[in-house]
Amino acid sequence: MSRRDATDHIGYYFRKEKWTLLVVAATGILYNAGMVAGPWFEGQMVQYLCDILGGNRQAMEMVTLAACYVLTILFVQFMRYLKRLYVRKFANHISKSMKMTLYRNLLHRKQEDLEGAGSMMTKIISDADACVEGMRKFTTEVFDTGVVIIAYLVMLLSYDWKLTLLSMLFPPIAYFLAEQLKAVVTKNVAQSRESSARLNAATLERVTNALTYRVYGQETNRNGAYEKNLTDYEKKAVRANIWENAMQPIYQVISMLGAIAIIWFGGKNVFGTGWSAWNIAAFTTFFSCYQKLAVKSSKAAKLFNAVQKAQVSWKRIKSYLAPVEEEPERSIAAGSALSVQSVTFAYPGRQALFTNVTFAAKPGEVVGLTGKIACGKSTLGKLLTGELPYQGEIFLGDVRFSNEGGRYENGVGYLGHRPELFSGTIEENICMGKPGDIGPVLRAVCIDREVEEFPDGIHTVIGSGGVRLSGGQQARLALARTLYHKKPLMVLDDPFSAVDLETETRIFANLRVLAKDSVVLLISHRLSLFPQMDRVLWLEDGTVTVASHGELIQKNVHYRTLCEAQRKEAASDEN
């Protein structure tokens, strides 16, 4: 693919819609070339009226001329309708294409690059809309302004080229003024958008932490801080709108100054003392043409402002539109063994979180991973999804994972410690577009009876993030989704933290059956199930100890202490 065909090149989107633009061009030329018919008919009608009053024409001739005028206008306006329809289609297609590119690009970014994703998306989508609007206005005005100005200019020159040149001295001044104000408009628009982004972020933060502020009596302080953001946005938005819109009448007045010359010298032409010999029709046509040309010229200046706004937005989102190289599909067979060899990981600029991690697991085995708080358990699990780069080697079957990070959707299933649910039905959250019966996985996670009691069963809408479900139901629904999309390797990060011990035991037994041909890495700080694990990984001070539960109890005092403390706590809860 050449550079000019890349998704971060503005020309790509125009070329992608070339057939739509072809219709726009054809209808645009017919519409705008036909616009000159209006002034001609207006001039002829004034002349006919004078002739009728002078007894040189019949009224029926005026009726015939008016009928031709109406038919011409109907044709021209129909072409205008078609042009605007296809310009809107062009803009809609570009918007869809651009936002799909943004979506794919964001999906391929690392999780740590997506901090503040809500504010980021607000700004990106806003900028994408501004770019599309600028492209739409540019496409519209190329014809509504460019073509029609040329048509009007040709007609003016045909009547009196000297007067045309004299009167046309003023529209370029409006253009020049618009160009000189380009930097001011761009600066104020950029400041307005930055302030809008800060306000969006402050709004999200204010709503998200409303309870915390109320509990600690900080509502007044936070309201004051939010008010500052709101006031700043109002000022910058007003200033940007003034520079963008208030200059429009000035452009138009400057463009219309040529009318003074037309009235003076055009009047001389009518009386036979000017540069050309005119009748009333010629004077009316010339004056009407110039008036329409001046109005169009002022709109051209407005177009420059719209394009400048789009340029500001384009610079901000261009990096998000860069082409994404899709990774080749990695075929990982069911029943593949896992091998982790001398794996070391460190966050940028920090000491290694763990070093030389080595272990292996066969299909059907469940490996438990635990350790002290913040020791790196979840990070080690994420390495197996390709989310993070590392040193060392990881094999799943015959496939070697890239140590630069990469995705292995066809080989690795992942359940994070925070269930990621979207605002859809229970069935949609589990299936994720893959058809099939979800009954077995609902029973496996012991949520089937609860779902049956919901008013709409599996078609119950759970709300954003599963807000309509309890914490335990959210966790089990996310686990059901992981089991429904079973993979050769499944990484489960704290899947039972929100369920009681009895339910945990039942789900684990079902997991053993469903995952009999997969490797399961179960990360947990709760150790009640660890005696049933095929192998236990204890992560402490950057090193991993690999042993059975019994062996680890004997040789690791911290693991033994943690197990005994949790056993006593469970016994106390039962009593």
Short mmCIF file of all heavy atoms in Angstrom, two decimals, residues 31 164 168 175 182 204 255 352 364 448:
data_model
loop_
_atom_site.label_atom_id
_atom_site.label_comp_id
_atom_site.label_asym_id
_atom_site.label_seq_id
_atom_site.Cartn_x
_atom_site.Cartn_y
_atom_site.Cartn_z
N TYR A 31 -26.18 22.11 -11.32
CA TYR A 31 -26.89 23.03 -10.42
C TYR A 31 -26.26 24.42 -10.45
O TYR A 31 -26.95 25.44 -10.65
CB TYR A 31 -26.88 22.45 -9.00
CG TYR A 31 -27.12 23.47 -7.91
CD1 TYR A 31 -28.24 24.29 -7.92
CD2 TYR A 31 -26.21 23.62 -6.87
CE1 TYR A 31 -28.46 25.23 -6.92
CE2 TYR A 31 -26.41 24.55 -5.87
CZ TYR A 31 -27.54 25.36 -5.91
OH TYR A 31 -27.75 26.29 -4.92
N THR A 164 -16.43 44.73 -14.88
CA THR A 164 -16.24 43.49 -14.11
C THR A 164 -14.93 43.54 -13.33
O THR A 164 -14.88 43.24 -12.14
CB THR A 164 -16.24 42.27 -15.05
OG1 THR A 164 -17.49 42.19 -15.72
CG2 THR A 164 -16.00 40.99 -14.27
N MET A 168 -14.63 43.69 -9.27
CA MET A 168 -14.06 42.48 -8.67
C MET A 168 -12.80 42.76 -7.85
O MET A 168 -12.13 41.84 -7.41
CB MET A 168 -13.73 41.46 -9.76
CG MET A 168 -14.96 40.78 -10.36
SD MET A 168 -15.96 39.94 -9.13
CE MET A 168 -14.82 38.70 -8.55
N TYR A 175 -11.13 37.84 0.84
CA TYR A 175 -10.32 36.62 0.92
C TYR A 175 -9.04 36.88 1.71
O TYR A 175 -8.63 36.08 2.56
CB TYR A 175 -9.95 36.13 -0.49
CG TYR A 175 -11.09 35.57 -1.28
CD1 TYR A 175 -11.26 35.92 -2.62
CD2 TYR A 175 -11.99 34.67 -0.72
CE1 TYR A 175 -12.31 35.40 -3.37
CE2 TYR A 175 -13.04 34.15 -1.46
CZ TYR A 175 -13.20 34.51 -2.78
OH TYR A 175 -14.22 34.01 -3.51
N LYS A 182 -6.53 33.69 9.72
CA LYS A 182 -6.46 32.23 9.83
C LYS A 182 -5.80 31.79 11.13
O LYS A 182 -6.31 30.92 11.84
CB LYS A 182 -5.68 31.67 8.64
CG LYS A 182 -5.44 30.18 8.69
CD LYS A 182 -4.66 29.71 7.46
CE LYS A 182 -4.38 28.22 7.52
NZ LYS A 182 -3.63 27.76 6.33
N LEU A 204 -16.71 13.89 34.16
CA LEU A 204 -16.63 12.46 34.44
C LEU A 204 -16.09 12.21 35.84
O LEU A 204 -16.61 11.37 36.59
CB LEU A 204 -15.74 11.78 33.39
CG LEU A 204 -15.58 10.26 33.53
CD1 LEU A 204 -16.92 9.57 33.36
CD2 LEU A 204 -14.59 9.75 32.48
N SER A 255 -17.18 42.57 0.25
CA SER A 255 -17.42 42.03 -1.09
C SER A 255 -18.44 42.86 -1.86
O SER A 255 -18.38 42.99 -3.09
CB SER A 255 -17.91 40.58 -0.99
OG SER A 255 -16.92 39.75 -0.44
N ALA A 352 12.88 -5.13 37.90
CA ALA A 352 12.13 -6.31 37.45
C ALA A 352 11.10 -6.71 38.49
O ALA A 352 11.41 -6.80 39.69
CB ALA A 352 13.08 -7.46 37.17
N GLY A 364 -5.64 -30.19 30.70
CA GLY A 364 -6.39 -30.80 31.78
C GLY A 364 -5.90 -30.41 33.16
O GLY A 364 -6.56 -30.67 34.16
N ASP A 448 -27.56 -20.43 36.55
CA ASP A 448 -28.69 -20.75 35.68
C ASP A 448 -30.04 -20.49 36.34
O ASP A 448 -30.96 -19.94 35.72
CB ASP A 448 -28.59 -22.20 35.20
CG ASP A 448 -28.43 -23.19 36.35
OD1 ASP A 448 -27.65 -22.89 37.28
OD2 ASP A 448 -29.08 -24.24 36.33
#
